[in-house]
Amino acid sequence: MVSDGASSKLLVMGNRGVLQSVDMKTRTKSVVRDLSTKVLAGDKSFLSPSRQLVLLSHSDGSFDAWSVETGQVVARGNRGAGASEIGALSAFSDEGPFITGDRKGRVLLWTLTNGALTEQSAFDVGAAIKAFEELPGTRELACISGSGVVTIVNAAGKERKVTLPRGTSVTRAASDGSGTLVLGTNDGSILLLDPRGTASTSLSIGTGKACDVLAASRNGRWVADMNSAGQLSVHDRSGQLAPLRIRPNEGVAQTMLFGGDEELYLGYGDGKIVRVLFTADAMGDRKCQLVGTLGRRWNPETWQQNIGIGELRNTCDR
């Protein structure tokens, strides 16, 4: 689940090859591109960092890239029938190089020539590849594996490694608008890594429950994580607000995404999307929207009686 660049719309990519757009203002869904006929049991679907390509990996070792705009295949590659299962698939740009990572920790970069992908370079990270995370503003991707080392690679195949604190392994990763890499770990700790740095810093100390889902806001202020016990935490990197901790009734989400600065979307396997308003101002604004549809206006007294948190900055006409 990613933003399409507009604050009210989300793009949702599932493993069945269907890319959907969800308008959170109107609560409606529409299909952007349906590639379900290209997907077989055991195949996986990914959305490229540019959001212009749907990337499909197949159980026979092949993989391909499809244009979101035209629905046509633009690249094909094959790792061979005996290769380990692909755990992650991405691209540095729509013209390549493309990158695959498998369950044995093997990472391959692929060059695109006339629609065919050929192996450019390879390296091993020593643990199963879970995801590739783009570092905005760079030509680099972070290889996220179940180890205590994060490998960052550029489009030329040059790699560098960042070793995490002893006993720590990465379970999830996300990047914010500044390029900071946020890491969720096996003990629930949240770490921050500057894209050009060589060491991580701590944002929060874990509770012993692994981080299952992670998101970072585009303005760099907010980080949200959900652990394996279903506890959602929202951290304010500015230090102005203490962490918010709640346990959504829907359980552990599959994905999370910040919308506006103070709203968070949780995506679930059944297609359900839940919006979380995590500050008093955001909840107050929502109350204003609701009562506005009834033609009601607030004053400070009725605000305190009905809302009880935050401050009324005006009469809900902002």
Side-chain angles (χ1 to χ4, degrees):
M1 184 167 67
V2 298
S3 170
D4 71 345
S7 60
S8 66
K9 291 187 178 181
L10 308 177
L11 291 175
V12 181
M13 181 82 250
N15 272 338
R16 57 193 180 93
V18 180
L19 178 64
Q20 296 185 81
S21 174
V22 181
D23 190 318
M24 298 309 296
K25 287 185 176 179
T26 62
R27 299 296 193 271
T28 56
K29 294 181 181 180
S30 60
V31 174
V32 178
R33 179 59 57 192
D34 186 346
L35 295 172
S36 57
T37 59
K38 314 298 181 184
V39 176
L40 301 175
D43 293 353
K44 296 180 180 179
S45 306
F46 306 87
L47 191 62
S48 70
S50 70
R51 301 161 194 162
Q52 298 303 309
L53 296 176
V54 173
L55 310 175
L56 304 178
S57 68
H58 307 286
S59 55
D60 64 357
S62 64
F63 58 98
D64 33 60
W66 301 77
S67 167
V68 170
E69 180 180 3
T70 67
Q72 300 298 308
V73 64
V74 297
R76 293 187 187 276
N78 200 319
R79 299 174 65 252
S84 178
E85 177 187 2
I86 289 177
L89 174 58
S90 190
F92 290 90
S93 74
D94 292 350
E95 293 75 37
F98 288 74
I99 184 170
T100 59
D102 67 26
R103 296 301 183 186
K104 293 183 178 180
R106 185 72 167 168
V107 177
L108 297 172
L109 273 69
W110 303 79
T111 300
L112 176 62
T113 306
N114 297 324
L117 293 167
T118 55
E119 185 177 331
Q120 169 185 316
S121 60
F123 59 91
D124 290 290
V125 300
I129 298 294
K130 298 180 177 181
F132 295 116
E133 187 66 38
E134 179 191 27
L135 301 181
T138 74
R139 286 272 288 169
E140 294 181 319
L141 294 172
C143 307
I144 305 304
S145 66
S147 73
V149 176
V150 176
T151 301
I152 299 173
V153 60
N154 65 18
K158 184 178 180 180
E159 58 186 279
R160 58 188 176 90
K161 298 182 184 295
V162 178
T163 301
L164 304 180
R166 183 182 298 274
T168 299
S169 62
V170 179
T171 56
R172 294 292 183 269
S175 57
D176 64 17
S178 70
T180 297
L181 188 64
V182 184
L183 304 173
T185 68
N186 57 319
D187 69 353
S189 298
I190 306 299
L191 305 176
L192 303 176
L193 178 63
D194 184 278
R196 293 170 180 81
T198 57
S200 62
T201 58
S202 176
L203 175 64
S204 71
I205 299 174
T207 60
K209 300 292 185 180
C211 174
D212 269 9
V213 198
L214 189 66
S217 66
R218 285 174 292 181
N219 66 3
R221 179 177 178 181
W222 307 103
V223 171
D225 71 276
M226 183 175 282
N227 67 23
S228 56
Q231 178 179 276
L232 171 65
S233 302
V234 181
H235 309 271
D236 180 5
R237 289 178 58 191
S238 74
Q240 298 179 45
L241 298 175
L244 169 70
R245 304 189 192 281
I246 60 175
R247 197 178 300 271
N249 293 331
E250 293 78 9
V252 179
Q254 286 193 344
T255 184
M256 294 193 299
L257 176 72
F258 283 95
D261 287 346
E262 298 175 358
E263 61 183 18
L264 177 70
Y265 295 103
L266 312 182
Y268 291 87
D270 60 0
K272 186 176 185 179
I273 297 176
V274 175
R275 181 171 65 170
V276 177
L277 304 174
F278 56 86
T279 67
D281 282 347
M283 289 186 282
D285 285 346
R286 180 56 178 158
K287 293 287 188 181
C288 282
Q289 294 172 12
L290 293 174
V291 299
T293 62
L294 302 176
R296 181 176 178 178
R297 296 172 69 85
W298 294 103
N299 59 47
E301 290 74 24
T302 56
W303 179 274
Q304 286 301 318
Q305 291 171 5
N306 293 274
I307 308 301
I309 56 176
E311 295 180 356
L312 176 64
R313 295 176 180 174
N314 58 33
T315 56
C316 290
D317 57 358
R318 51 180 162 171

